[in-house]
Amino acid sequence: MGAIANDWLEPLAPEFKKPYYAKLYKTIREEYTTRQIFPDSQDIFNAFSLTPLSEVKVVILGQDPYHNIGQAHGLCFSVKPDVDIPPSLVNIYQELQSDLGCYVPDNGYLVKWAQQGVLLLNTVLTVRAHEANSHRGIGWEEFTDAAIRILNQQDRAIVFMLWGRPAQMKKSMLNNPKHLVLEAPHPSPLSAYRGFFGCRHFSRANAFLEDHGLMPIDWQIENVR
């Protein structure tokens, strides 16, 4: 199982000592031993590893990892470069195109965003193969809620993009006036037409960052083929 080794470790350390985390760790170890679980165990904490706490500018919350073979690698909405782009990400790219003029790339690999300070955090970090939400309620939510509280306490400008009801349920935890909280329907094909398209979250986030003297995010994901 991967580990957190950067500046997230100190504020998250108390979680590792709590009873819920001991139970979660035991459950996850057993699951990886007896079943097919995504992402690879070394990728579980990639969102934290690729986006240090001190560098977080934007937070995008997802639910749980993709559950088909080869998709999940620890960043919400992202897939590995050789994997078909999932429908929700197709819609995210369409909104980026209309909002900022980005072309739609040939891949769904969002590491470029993570490396610029976009925390791509699922509220549940693991899933059984082909069973969406199968690890809901085993303890991950308590852990990622702790991360959200840590982010809320940061004394600097951060943008939170809350897409869909599960993400918006975290809004009550976000009461720091230095932050910008943006809400929209989920980008899935079932709900994108209810207001995700046209939300302009990407340009609004960049304007907010620039207003606070921060570099905007280059949202363009480049083609790999």
Side-chain angles (χ1 to χ4, degrees):
M1 190 162 158
I4 295 173
N6 58 14
D7 62 356
W8 276 105
L9 182 57
E10 183 179 350
L12 282 172
E15 301 305 308
F16 300 129
K17 298 170 186 160
K18 293 180 179 178
Y20 87 84
Y21 194 86
K23 185 178 176 185
L24 168 64
Y25 185 78
K26 182 181 177 184
T27 300
I28 290 299
R29 285 197 61 151
E30 186 174 323
E31 285 282 288
Y32 273 95
T33 302
T34 59
R35 295 176 176 268
Q36 187 172 26
I37 305 298
F38 300 130
D40 290 343
S41 62
Q42 294 304 307
D43 291 339
I44 292 173
F45 295 116
N46 271 357
F48 299 101
S49 300
L50 288 167
T51 312
L53 175 60
S54 59
E55 296 176 18
V56 175
K57 297 178 179 178
V58 178
V59 179
I60 298 177
L61 290 179
Q63 260 182 284
D64 66 335
Y66 295 122
H67 54 81
N68 288 327
I69 293 169
Q71 291 181 305
H73 65 104
L75 304 179
C76 73
F77 295 105
S78 181
V79 291
K80 295 174 185 176
D82 55 347
V83 174
D84 288 345
I85 303 170
S88 291
L89 185 52
V90 169
N91 288 340
I92 291 169
Y93 284 160
Q94 287 186 13
E95 175 59 20
L96 269 169
Q97 188 174 43
S98 64
D99 187 11
L100 291 172
C102 297
Y103 67 81
V104 176
D106 62 7
N107 69 96
Y109 194 54
L110 305 183
V111 167
K112 177 181 175 180
W113 293 358
Q115 291 173 335
Q116 294 179 82
V118 182
L119 183 69
L120 296 165
L121 182 64
N122 280 313
T123 54
V124 173
L125 300 186
T126 55
V127 69
R128 288 179 180 173
H130 315 302
E131 294 182 46
N133 289 318
S134 49
H135 280 177
R136 180 173 58 192
I138 67 170
W140 281 128
E141 293 92 342
E142 193 164 346
F143 182 77
T144 54
D145 277 0
I148 293 167
R149 283 193 291 271
I150 291 163
L151 289 161
N152 182 61
Q153 293 163 2
Q154 298 304 297
D155 188 27
R156 64 181 197 277
I158 298 177
V159 181
F160 292 83
M161 297 183 182
L162 307 182
W163 299 337
R165 193 170 151 274
Q168 288 162 12
M169 288 171 68
K170 308 297 183 184
K171 186 180 181 182
S172 62
M173 302 167 64
L174 304 174
N175 57 11
N176 187 331
K178 295 205 169 182
H179 301 164
L180 174 65
V181 179
L182 300 173
E183 296 180 81
H186 195 275
S188 87
L190 299 174
S191 54
Y193 289 95
R194 295 192 214 128
F196 178 77
F197 291 135
C199 70
R200 301 184 63 87
H201 279 189
F202 304 101
S203 60
R204 290 167 68 186
N206 277 356
F208 180 79
L209 293 173
E210 290 184 289
D211 285 348
H212 288 82
L214 298 168
M215 282 284 292
I217 305 299
D218 176 7
W219 294 102
Q220 179 66 69
I221 298 295
E222 285 84 14
N223 288 333
V224 293
R225 291 184 281 276

